[in-house]
Structures are given as C-alpha cells and as structure tokens.
Amino acid sequence: MSMEGLDVTACERCPELCESRSRIVNGVGPDDADLLFVGEAPGANEDEQGEPFVGRSGTVLDDALRDVGLARRDVRITNCVRCRPPENRDPTTEELENCREYLDAEIQRLDPELVVTLGKVPSEHLLGRSVAVTTEAGQVFDARVGDASYRLLVCVHPAATLYDRSQESTFTETIAQAAELAGVGDSESGQSRLGDY
Ligand code: URA
C-alpha cells in the first residue's frame, strides 16, 4: 500500500475489491473539518467519479447539509472501505479490517468535533458492537480510535430515506443535530451559507 497525506494511492489488500473497483475512492473535504461523515463503501457512481456520496444518497446528504447552512466543502466525507464491492454487496469483516488503518489515520489526523456514521455498517464498525440504527439514530456515543476517544453520532443512511419516506425526518433532524453538536453551519453564525451566493 502507499499513501499521500490522507489519500491511499495504491492498495492490494482485498483481492476481490481490486477486481471490482475502477479506482480507490478517498475521503473528500478539509483535513481539519469539525464534522466527519463516514459511510459504508463506494457504489457505482462513486467508483466512476472517485468521490464518496456523489449518487442519489449524496444528493440527499447535500440537501440536508444545505438546510443547516453547510456546503459539502465545509465537511469531510469518507467511507469505511475505499473500493467498490462487487454488485454493491456489503463489505466483508475482513475487508473492513483491511481498510481500518486508513480510516483510523483519517480520524486521528482530522481530530473532528464529531463523527457521524451513516447507516449500520459504519456505526457497528466504529462502535464495535451491533447497532439498531433506526432506534439509535440521534444518539451520541464514545468511539475509541487508537488512544483517543471521539464523539460519534449515529445516523440512518441517506439511501434509507429514498425507500422509506418515514426516515426522511430522522435523517434531516440528525444532520441538524450534528451541525449543532459540532458547532458549525447555522448553529454557529450562518456565515458559511454566504459563500453559496
Ligand atoms: N453509500 C455509501 O455508504 N458510501 C458512498 O460513498 C455512497 C453511497
């Protein structure tokens, strides 16, 4: 493997993912962001464009961020696994572990005010236990990464709002809560919205 800053530029740890990916999809956003969103793994759009959350889920996330006065460039967005699994299957435990070093390095370097896990896979991966996402959404826990502890907010995956409308308010409320807990967006001064005009 090789890395440039926070970007993994070459990695052969997961034989199946090396076959299924077109490219490695690294995290995007400032490397000192207060708010870090962690998803599961790249899908087809992300694999094609080389950026996390650029498909329909990304639009849902961008819209919810905009509602609280944040733009995508104000936050950092990454995934537990950086290569697209075949047929969008969930990453295996082994693949999650293979990629863990990169995620931990990203969290430690950012040292964010808050980590927001989008869906079951990242929530369970970072909390190290099973998580009932729909009931635990909006709850804050401590997640240990190396020697440090980070505040982690559980959130439903943005895609959940697309097939279950009742998840929409849970999602948008959790994003608003995230901005407030991290002290960014409208909850701070509203300034970041000015940059959009
Ligand atoms: N879903 C994820 O979990 N991550 C992405 O980057 C896109 C969709």
Side-chain angles (χ1 to χ4, degrees):
M1 68 107 172
S2 76
M3 288 186 83
E4 260 173 45
L6 289 178
D7 284 356
V8 179
T9 51
C11 181
E12 307 282 321
R13 289 180 184 179
C14 305
E16 228 193 321
L17 300 192
C18 289
E19 289 290 315
S20 57
R21 75 178 180 210
S22 315
R23 71 198 83 244
I24 296 169
V25 179
N26 287 296
V28 289
D31 65 8
D32 59 353
D34 289 324
L35 204 42
L36 170 66
F37 291 92
V38 183
E40 181 179 320
N45 294 294
E46 291 75 23
D47 179 68
E48 206 177 291
Q49 296 180 45
E51 181 168 337
F53 285 97
V54 288
R56 288 180 72 200
S57 297
T59 305
V60 173
L61 178 59
D62 289 349
D63 288 349
L65 287 171
R66 195 180 328 106
D67 284 350
V68 295
L70 287 169
R72 167 176 276 254
R73 64 178 174 274
D74 295 327
V75 302
R76 183 138 184 124
I77 308 174
T78 196
N79 279 306
C80 293
V81 165
R82 292 176 191 236
C83 300
R84 182 191 182 196
E87 273 116 51
N88 293 340
R89 66 157 170 75
D90 283 354
T92 64
T93 308
E94 194 183 344
E95 288 161 355
L96 286 164
E97 278 319 307
N98 286 344
C99 223
R100 181 68 196 240
E101 183 187 345
Y102 308 138
L103 178 60
D104 284 359
E106 193 167 12
I107 294 173
Q108 285 165 334
R109 165 79 171 276
L110 246 70
D111 191 21
E113 288 295 323
L114 186 71
V115 176
V116 182
T117 45
L118 299 171
K120 192 174 182 67
V121 169
S123 303
E124 296 193 336
H125 190 45
L126 285 172
L127 289 174
R129 63 170 173 85
S130 57
V131 175
V133 178
T134 42
T135 52
E136 296 189 54
Q139 293 183 39
V140 180
F141 301 96
D142 283 331
R144 279 212 80 76
V145 176
D147 292 335
S149 183
Y150 297 87
R151 277 197 308 176
L152 180 153
L153 177 69
V154 173
C155 185
V156 296
H157 195 281
T161 69
L162 299 170
Y163 50 78
D164 178 359
R165 289 275 166 211
S166 72
Q167 297 295 316
E168 241 175 61
S169 57
T170 311
F171 182 74
T172 51
E173 281 162 22
T174 310
I175 298 300
Q177 193 185 345
E180 192 163 345
L181 286 167
V184 295
D186 281 347
S187 63
E188 189 194 34
S189 63
Q191 285 302 306
S192 59
R193 180 168 268 172
L194 295 176
D196 288 333
Y197 296 107

